[in-house]
Amino acid sequence: MKGDNLGEFEELVLLTIAALLTEAYSVAICDELSKHTGRVAKLGVVHAVLNRLQEKGWVKSWLGEATSARGGKRKRYYEVTQSGKAALIRSKEVRESLWRVIPGFNLEGSL
């Protein structure tokens, strides 16, 4: 089923949410993605991916407390669900199995 596939950017967003632990909100996710990938992560694109991941059941979200620094606006935080973790593990296993069958490539070696 198409909806069960994990796209590359979805995978990056899921990994970023997992890495940020309790500080995974949209702006922090964008910043962390940019830091690790070297490419600009646009907020609107990240929001669309977060919504899609939530529809697939791979992330859950909740609203944090309102803060005066944000003019009383609350942040929406994200967390990877068990099925999201399973999707990441499947993706990692597929990638590793493909790397292993490439002749002459050593995953542990240098370029």
Side-chain angles (χ1 to χ4, degrees):
M1 177 187 280
K2 181 181 177 192
D4 292 336
N5 293 324
L6 179 61
E8 178 201 6
F9 197 65
E10 289 176 332
E11 181 178 4
L12 291 173
V13 171
L14 272 176
L15 289 168
T16 302
I17 293 168
L20 288 171
L21 299 172
T22 60
E23 292 301 315
Y25 60 95
S26 58
V27 173
I29 293 167
C30 286
D31 291 346
E32 198 72 9
L33 280 168
S34 295
K35 176 178 149 187
H36 287 280
T37 65
R39 61 187 194 193
V40 176
K42 295 187 178 184
L43 193 56
V45 174
V46 170
H47 275 285
V49 170
L50 290 168
N51 289 335
R52 196 164 54 244
L53 292 171
Q54 203 157 9
E55 288 171 10
K56 290 180 178 184
W58 292 344
V59 298
K60 62 182 178 180
S61 70
W62 67 94
L63 288 172
E65 296 298 320
T67 62
S68 58
R70 292 177 41 87
K73 193 171 179 186
R74 299 162 66 181
K75 290 181 188 174
R76 179 166 296 279
Y77 291 92
Y78 295 87
E79 179 181 347
V80 178
T81 63
Q82 283 302 110
S83 59
K85 290 176 186 176
L88 283 171
I89 290 168
R90 278 191 310 273
S91 179
K92 181 177 185 271
E93 289 170 348
V94 167
R95 289 176 189 271
E96 287 176 348
S97 71
L98 286 168
W99 275 101
R100 283 192 293 274
V101 298
I102 300 173
F105 273 61
N106 179 354
L107 290 176
E108 303 299 321
S110 60
L111 297 174

